């Protein structure tokens, strides 16, 4: 696993979303998203931007170069 894949899982679980919902909203296949989250694949830059925008974080936060924002209670 990588920080990137861990962060994807953390962000998705914080929002209590199934992987299918994230995939549809980011216009990628469900299997591709699952592979990103398990660390089997890395997305293209355009997909990484879409994922960061969807989760409301920066690319630096998504890839672990900056901390994720704190979870809102």
């Amino acid at each position: 696993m990588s920080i990137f894949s861990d962060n994807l899982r953390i962000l998705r679980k914080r929002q209590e979303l199934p992987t299918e919902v994230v995939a549809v909203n980011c216009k990628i296949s469900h299997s591709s998203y699952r592979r990103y989250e398990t660390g089997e694949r890395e997305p293209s830059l355009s997909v990484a931007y879409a994922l960061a925008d969807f989760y409301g974080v920066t690319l630096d936060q998504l890839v672990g170069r900056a901390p994720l924002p704190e979870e809102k209670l």
Side-chain angles (χ1 to χ4, degrees):
M1 296 270 180
S2 68
I3 293 172
F4 172 76
S5 59
D6 290 342
N7 284 347
L8 282 179
R9 190 172 31 270
I10 289 166
L11 292 165
R12 180 179 59 79
K13 288 186 177 199
R14 279 185 185 176
Q15 295 184 23
E16 299 177 357
L17 296 171
T19 55
E20 297 89 346
V21 170
V22 180
V24 166
N25 279 281
C26 293
K27 297 178 176 58
I28 57 176
S29 72
H30 178 239
S31 61
S32 289
Y33 182 81
R34 278 193 334 230
R35 288 184 184 113
Y36 301 148
E37 205 172 275
T38 60
E40 294 176 52
R41 282 183 67 185
E42 291 186 2
S44 66
L45 187 56
S46 61
V47 171
Y49 274 122
L51 290 165
D53 287 345
F54 177 78
Y55 286 121
V57 296
T58 66
L59 279 178
D60 280 347
Q61 290 171 317
L62 192 59
V63 300
R65 291 178 51 121
L68 289 177
E70 293 296 318
E71 185 173 8
K72 297 175 185 167
L73 300 176

